[in-house]
Amino acid sequence: IRFRSENRVFLDRKQVTVDTVYGELRVKVGTLKGEQWNAMPEYDDCASAAARHGVPIKLVMQAALAALSVDDSLNRRPAKAQA
């Protein structure tokens, strides 16, 4: 019989909106002690933008992550609540 102990860390999560050539896209950001550890663009936002522009969704997701990495306070803002 083997036993092991594991620890789990929960990231603080927030959602921001970034401006891209495909329009405004929401991105979920996970942070720990103020440091960004993870980011994932909202799939539905990226899928609709990809359909509108006739490009692969992967390209739109890459654009969202690239826009997030730009250290520009005008480019990042809290996401608006959806109805």
Side-chain angles (χ1 to χ4, degrees), residues 30-42:
T31 60
L32 180 64
K33 297 180 183 176
E35 183 180 346
Q36 181 178 319
W37 280 66
N38 193 28
M40 181 58 66
E42 279 292 337

Side-chain angles (χ1 to χ4, degrees), residues 16-30 36-43 46 57-72 75-76:
V16 296
T17 301
V18 295
D19 293 321
T20 71
V21 295
Y22 304 107
E24 291 184 348
L25 301 170
R26 291 175 294 155
V27 179
K28 293 174 281 200
V29 179
Q36 181 178 319
W37 280 66
N38 193 28
M40 181 58 66
E42 279 292 337
Y43 183 86
C46 294
I57 189 170
K58 188 172 186 175
L59 190 61
V60 176
M61 291 179 122
Q62 289 171 343
L65 291 174
L68 182 69
S69 69
V70 173
D71 191 18
D72 181 303
N75 196 42
R76 292 171 60 165

